[in-house]
Amino acid sequence: MLNARGISVRFGTQRVLDGIDLSIPAGRFSALVGANGSGKTTLLNVLAQLVKPDSGSVSLGTDPLAGLSRRDIARRIGLLPQITGTPVGLTVGELVMQGRYPWQNWWRQWSDEDQRAVDAAVALTDIGHLLQRPLTELSGGQRQRCWIAMTLAQDTPVLLLDEPTTYLDIAHQVELLQLAADLATRGKTVVAVLHDLNQAACYADHLIMLRDGGIHAEGEPASVFTADNLEAVFGFRAHIIRDPHSGNPLCVPRTESAELELVSREARL
């Protein structure tokens, strides 16, 4: 279990996270959702130890992460950040191999285990046909899948994904989210920042709603994904319906025209 206790972060005079206590359940797919500026990415970076909190601590099981080296942390936690640039001169295959860096040192070079991890990541993300191509020649969606493959090749028990569906078309978004859910069933602990609320409720089995740097609601989608919580966190009114196939909650915005039509219909009755 990944635990955060009393996490507070300030950037200048702005308080981004305010006394967060959070336990990420092991072997499950947790989704972080919230309005822009609610602290989702900052919290993910604190969990990965890329941002040092002003107060509080993070531990994995009983091990505090603050005392570990970057290499030791990278063997436990894989992070897919928001990708803003493309390395020039790097092929897809070379990028994916970078995921094995935490496991390399001067006496342990490339091994069969490294190759197996890379091959598995390439197969899971379906990028085998791209391995020899430079990253700069790929579309945004193709590059995103390659970065995901690199993170998977790291083969850590915990995966942190910051907006992993960015640039992906709907078919690849579904494939990625299903992959995240499948990895959780195999024992991986997956945490993803997601903007599509219905996708979060459909694929994650644990939701964390952030509001103004704190946790507004947390738990199973059925208990967290409510009209009251959506209005409080995102400021919009929605109907909550059930997926006829899975039974998962889905939200449909309550539009002004629909509200007027409902009032008119009730008046006629």
Side-chain angles (χ1 to χ4, degrees):
M1 184 175 288
L2 189 60
N3 298 296
R5 293 290 176 263
I7 299 296
S8 294
V9 174
R10 280 184 179 274
F11 293 145
T13 60
Q14 181 182 8
R15 183 179 291 277
V16 182
L17 299 177
D18 188 9
I20 282 184
D21 290 323
L22 178 65
S23 292
I24 302 293
R28 297 179 70 184
F29 179 13
S30 298
L32 281 171
V33 298
N36 291 339
S38 60
K40 302 183 298 296
T41 292
T42 301
L43 177 56
L44 208 70
N45 286 334
V46 169
L47 294 176
Q49 296 294 277
L50 293 183
V51 170
K52 183 178 180 181
D54 296 307
S55 62
S57 62
V58 179
S59 60
L60 184 58
T62 59
D63 299 329
L65 296 184
L68 300 180
S69 68
R70 287 305 316 163
R71 184 183 295 273
D72 286 336
I73 292 172
R75 290 180 175 182
R76 292 167 169 82
I77 299 175
L79 172 67
L80 175 72
Q82 295 182 27
I83 307 302
T84 57
T86 303
V88 177
L90 204 64
T91 68
V92 170
E94 290 167 340
L95 175 71
V96 179
M97 291 172 66
Q98 294 295 313
R100 299 304 298 169
Y101 172 77
W103 304 96
Q104 305 293 311
N105 48 50
W106 67 270
W107 69 85
R108 182 190 181 282
Q109 300 301 313
W110 197 257
S111 67
D112 291 341
E113 182 181 354
D114 294 323
Q115 191 61 52
R116 283 193 295 271
V118 167
D119 291 343
V122 167
L124 286 170
T125 51
D126 191 26
I127 59 169
H129 60 294
L130 301 175
L131 291 179
Q132 303 305 317
R133 294 183 59 182
L135 283 169
T136 51
E137 293 182 0
L138 304 183
S139 68
Q142 288 173 322
R143 286 198 297 269
Q144 184 74 352
R145 287 160 57 199
C146 296
W147 284 103
I148 292 166
M150 185 197 74
T151 307
L152 292 175
Q154 203 170 325
D155 196 22
T156 55
V158 177
L159 279 173
L160 307 179
L161 310 174
D162 195 357
E163 300 185 25
T165 56
T166 300
Y167 305 119
L168 299 181
D169 59 45
I170 185 62
H172 285 110
Q173 289 179 32
V174 169
E175 287 180 4
L176 171 62
L177 293 170
Q178 187 60 60
L179 172 60
D182 290 344
L183 289 171
T185 64
R186 301 177 199 174
K188 298 276 189 184
T189 299
V190 183
V191 186
V193 171
L194 297 176
H195 279 294
D196 190 307
L197 298 177
N198 286 331
Q199 288 183 347
C202 179
Y203 289 97
D205 50 18
H206 185 78
L207 288 185
I208 303 158
M209 278 190 179
L210 296 183
R211 178 187 179 192
D212 298 331
I215 296 177
H216 177 81
E218 177 188 2
E220 295 183 354
S223 63
V224 173
F225 204 74
T226 67
D228 287 344
N229 283 338
L230 293 178
E231 185 168 6
V233 172
F234 297 95
F236 81 98
R237 302 174 67 196
H239 297 288
I240 303 299
I241 62 176
R242 296 289 171 177
D243 184 314
H245 176 68
S246 66
N248 292 322
L250 300 172
C251 68
V252 179
R254 296 174 62 173
T255 62
E256 182 178 348
S257 59
E259 294 292 332
L260 291 174
E261 175 62 26
L262 178 61
V263 171
S264 176
R265 186 183 307 120
E266 291 176 345
R268 290 195 299 271
L269 294 174

